[in-house]
C-alpha cells in the first residue's frame, strides 16, 4: 500500500468539477484508491463518495493506493492534487 497526505489549498475545496476530474484520474489505475478525511473514507473512483467528504480548504486528505500500479497511481494523484486542489 502506498499512502500520502495532501492539504487542500483551493479556496472552494473539492467541488463538483475537480471531484469529477479526480475520479476520472483515479479510474485510470487498476489499484484500489481511497481518500480519507478524519473518520470519513471514500472510494476515489466514485464521484458521490468523493463529494460526500465535503473537503474544504485547509483540510488534509490521506490518499491510499493498494494493488497493481499503486506507486504510479500515488505519484499521478499527488501531482493532480497539487495542480487542481
Amino acid at each position: 500500500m502506498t499512502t500520502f497526505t495532501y492539504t487542500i489549498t483551493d479556496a472552494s475545496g473539492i467541488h463538483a468539477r475537480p471531484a469529477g476530474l479526480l475520479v476520472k484520474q483515479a479510474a485510470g489505475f487498476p489499484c484500489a484508491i481511497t481518500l480519507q478525511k478524519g473518520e470519513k473514507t471514500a472510494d476515489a473512483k466514485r464521484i458521490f463518495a468523493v463529494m460526500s467528504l465535503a473537503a474544504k480548504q485547509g483540510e488534509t486528505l490521506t490518499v491510499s493506493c493498494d494493488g497493481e500500479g499503486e506507486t504510479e497511481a500515488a505519484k499521478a494523484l499527488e501531482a493532480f492534487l497539487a495542480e487542481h486542489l
Side-chain angles (χ1 to χ4, degrees), residues 14 22 34-44 47-56 59 61-62:
I14 298 182
L22 176 62
T34 57
L35 305 175
Q36 183 174 351
K37 184 192 91 172
E39 297 297 317
K40 291 183 178 182
T41 302
D43 180 345
I47 186 89
F48 291 115
V50 173
M51 294 291 295
S52 74
L53 292 175
K56 308 244 185 282
E59 294 181 324
L61 296 176
T62 300

Side-chain angles (χ1 to χ4, degrees), residues 7-25:
T7 302
I8 298 171
T9 58
D10 187 282
S12 300
I14 298 182
H15 54 89
R17 186 177 152 283
L21 293 172
L22 176 62
V23 168
K24 192 174 197 177
Q25 180 83 14

